[in-house]
Amino acid sequence: MESKTIDKSNIDSVLSDLKAYKEQLWINPHKKKYSEAIATLEEEFSILPTLDDIIEADQRLRRFAPLFQKLFPETIAKNGLIESELTPIEAFQRSLITFIGGRIIGSWSAKLDSHLEIAGSVKARGGVYEVIYLAEQLALKSGLITISSDYSVLDSSEARNLFSQYTLVVGSTGNLGLSIGIIGTALGFNVTVHMSQDAKSWKVELLKHKGVEVVLHASDYSMAVEEGRKSTLQSPYCYFIDDENSILLFTGYAVAALRLKEQLDSKNQIVDDAHPLFIYLPCGVGGAPGGISYGLKLIYGDNVRIFFAEPTHSPCMLLGLATEKHNAISVSELGLDNITDADGLAVGRASGFVGRVVSTLIDGAYTISDDKLYWLLYMFSLSEHKGLEPSALAGFTGPINLFYDTVGFEYLLENNLLEKMENAHHISWATGGGLVPESIMTEFISRGEKTKIEF
Ligand SMILES: *Cc1c(COP(=O)(O)O)cnc(C)c1O
């Protein structure tokens, strides 16, 4: 049989599809075997957390569990652990197949970070972690706690007086600001969130209601971040949370990998060479999917395969990886407008740090139109009775791309995966939606219902 190999490195065709806002699946030609990739990364990035560092981060989060239970009653049910369900989505899988025909082989689950406690999005991992890290440092130094204290003592006027001397500053398209704003003000910090003018008004209102200072910028997200960064340079009492480069955010996100392993183990879900794990992660600047991927790679090595998902209007990570220019190229250089309803994903320039880290680790990236996000949102609410925000649906065309796109099929074939797919497990990371007001969710769903899409 003649075998046809698609030239994955044909950058011209990748770029021309990106320029045309055309959905595409891109297979990463720079991916390396895990052992080689990690050896090079360790040499190149001395700051990368080790598995021990990630375990320590998990323990730090657990030390705060008694405090979380006091400040956020919704965490009581899980004893103060901030963790989401991993839920099978057979009903969704069946509905999709009915609509598009054919088959998606393997079992399929959603990781519902959309319903994470405190912030209702994946940002409850990184954002909360960075803030509690800082709070712990300050409280230890001031003698309010020792490492073995019951941290619920930090729900006190002494602790609030201490934390209120500090201002946390962050630039955000929405959800990171929500996460830092909610946890920061609950602990007693002052919080300033820099957002672009097009930030959703319910997010701005919620933050203001929490006592957060919101600064709206006429220009885009990168500018909002830059303004935020600049404003903190003068004062030692200002702490800038850097979405693009923070190793603490990255480490907080990576804790998800430990938690996912626990969940898969408890379901007796095997991950090995014969039972590959496929993860599909919505990507904005890259921190959340980057940290999660990195953690999963440390645990599962070559047996986990990862795809990043981006809106067709903001494919900054795919662009940076495919051109190997990382943060030295922006989607505006392709003439793209970076306008999408997918909050958190409307990013024109990816994190250079994350891009370089994931470039040898992940299997690929793909793009998805806003129409499809809305349609999937509607289908998901209909079949799984859960409300997600549009960005969270980006991970849900991952398995479809593998089975219905020739590039995906070639990828499965070339990697000897076809015969293993019966045993494969797909996980789409649902990254946000828990805090969306009901009236807005109703609008999302009815918009999805009216949307006509084609696969
Ligand atoms: C922030 C966010 C992402 C992506 O995270 P990045 O760190 O920006 O790549 C995905 N989905 C939602 C809902 C988000 O808020």
Side-chain angles (χ1 to χ4, degrees):
M1 206 174 81
E2 201 186 350
S3 88
K4 178 174 127 266
T5 314
I6 291 171
D7 181 8
K8 295 190 210 69
S9 53
N10 186 350
I11 190 76
D12 292 338
S13 99
V14 172
L15 294 181
S16 83
D17 281 357
L18 288 183
K19 278 183 197 164
Y21 297 105
K22 204 172 143 200
E23 292 182 332
Q24 68 170 309
L25 169 63
W26 172 77
I27 302 297
N28 179 10
H30 315 296
K31 189 194 171 198
K32 291 185 190 156
K33 230 172 107 58
Y34 172 69
S35 54
E36 285 166 31
I38 199 71
T40 313
L41 286 175
E42 279 168 0
E43 247 170 58
E44 230 171 290
F45 296 93
S46 55
I47 48 164
L48 273 178
T50 60
L51 191 55
D52 282 343
D53 294 331
I54 299 168
I55 291 169
E56 197 183 305
D58 182 30
Q59 286 162 350
R60 180 166 291 113
L61 282 160
R62 287 172 200 263
R63 285 200 287 280
F64 275 85
L67 179 64
F68 291 153
Q69 290 179 73
K70 281 188 103 173
L71 299 178
F72 305 101
E74 77 263 30
T75 64
I76 292 172
K78 285 182 222 152
N79 299 318
L81 200 69
I82 305 164
E83 193 47 70
S84 69
E85 263 181 79
L86 176 67
T87 183
I89 47 170
E90 283 143 26
F92 177 73
Q93 186 168 354
R94 270 197 306 275
S95 338
L96 271 187
I97 290 169
T98 309
F99 187 83
I100 57 182
R103 284 221 290 171
I104 294 163
I105 307 171
S107 56
W108 193 1
S109 300
K111 180 67 177 148
L112 293 175
D113 277 10
S114 46
H115 294 76
L116 272 179
E117 295 76 11
I118 302 180
S121 82
V122 68
K123 304 295 191 306
R125 298 184 183 280
V128 169
Y129 180 68
E130 181 146 1
V131 174
I132 61 132
Y133 183 95
L134 177 68
E136 186 181 55
Q137 301 282 302
L138 294 172
L140 286 172
K141 209 157 93 194
S142 73
L144 278 179
I145 49 166
T146 68
I147 210 105
S148 52
S149 297
D150 176 340
Y151 281 20
S152 63
V153 298
L154 296 177
D155 179 24
S156 63
S157 52
E158 290 92 325
R160 285 203 178 80
N161 285 340
L162 170 67
F163 298 143
S164 68
Q165 297 170 49
Y166 295 84
T167 301
L168 309 175
V169 180
V170 65
S172 170
T173 57
N175 288 338
L176 185 63
L178 277 187
S179 146
I180 304 290
I182 293 171
I183 180 74
T185 53
L187 288 168
F189 287 101
N190 304 298
V191 182
T192 304
V193 177
H194 292 260
M195 292 174 130
S196 52
Q197 201 70 258
D198 54 1
K200 302 285 177 293
S201 60
W202 71 265
K203 292 186 179 175
V204 175
E205 290 315 312
L206 199 155
L207 283 172
K208 286 185 174 163
H209 177 75
K210 298 272 175 194
V212 170
E213 191 193 344
V214 180
V215 185
L216 293 175
H217 295 270
S219 50
D220 72 358
Y221 167 73
S222 306
M223 285 304 289
V225 174
E226 229 7 77
E227 289 302 316
R229 189 195 317 271
K230 266 193 256 161
S231 75
T232 57
L233 292 176
Q234 292 87 8
S235 163
Y237 290 97
C238 277
Y239 183 90
F240 179 62
I241 293 175
D242 186 344
D243 202 7
E244 287 173 49
N245 299 298
S246 166
I247 209 70
L248 287 173
L249 276 181
F250 189 83
T251 307
Y253 289 125
V255 170
L258 302 175
R259 306 279 178 80
L260 184 68
K261 181 178 185 331
E262 223 171 80
Q263 290 177 321
L264 289 171
D265 288 351
S266 76
K267 291 171 190 268
N268 295 319
Q269 184 85 52
I270 303 167
V271 180
D272 60 17
D273 181 55
H275 302 76
L277 177 63
F278 288 79
I279 308 279
Y280 309 96
L281 288 154
C283 177
V285 75
I292 294 168
S293 301
Y294 175 76
L296 286 170
K297 278 292 186 184
L298 290 181
I299 293 172
Y300 292 116
D302 291 320
N303 298 326
V304 63
R305 295 174 173 275
I306 296 166
F307 291 87
F308 283 10
E310 296 178 298
T312 47
H313 287 246
S314 310
C316 63
M317 186 60 82
L318 199 167
L319 177 63
L321 290 172
T323 57
E324 295 182 90
K325 289 188 179 169
H326 305 296
N327 58 340
I329 189 164
S330 131
V331 300
S332 65
E333 288 170 53
L334 292 189
L336 301 182
D337 60 14
N338 192 23
I339 294 174
T340 166
D341 278 355
D343 276 24
L345 310 189
V347 180
R349 190 185 297 276
S351 156
F353 158 63
V354 174
R356 286 179 186 90
V357 170
V358 301
S359 72
T360 53
L361 295 175
I362 69 170
D363 284 65
Y366 63 84
T367 54
I368 177 168
S369 70
D370 275 28
D371 274 354
K372 213 170 259 175
L373 294 175
Y374 276 108
W375 183 80
L376 289 164
L377 188 157
Y378 159 67
M379 289 291 278
F380 199 84
S381 79
L382 204 65
S383 53
E384 301 291 335
H385 314 290
K386 292 234 162 41
L388 306 181
E389 59 182 286
S391 19
L393 278 304
F396 288 84
T397 45
I400 304 172
N401 288 335
L402 291 186
F403 294 107
Y404 293 80
D405 184 308
T406 27
V407 176
F409 187 76
E410 293 269 341
Y411 158 83
L412 292 176
L413 200 65
E414 281 172 19
N415 288 278
N416 301 318
L417 285 165
L418 272 184
E419 67 275 15
K420 298 175 188 168
M421 293 316 282
E422 291 287 351
N423 297 324
H425 193 62
H426 307 275
I427 297 177
S428 295
W429 216 279
T431 45
L435 295 188
V436 176
E438 212 174 292
S439 60
I440 293 178
M441 188 56 76
T442 309
E443 281 171 32
F444 285 166
I445 294 169
S446 78
R447 175 160 170 191
E449 187 177 3
K450 289 188 206 117
T451 303
K452 298 272 172 287
I453 52 120
E454 270 175 39
F455 279 93

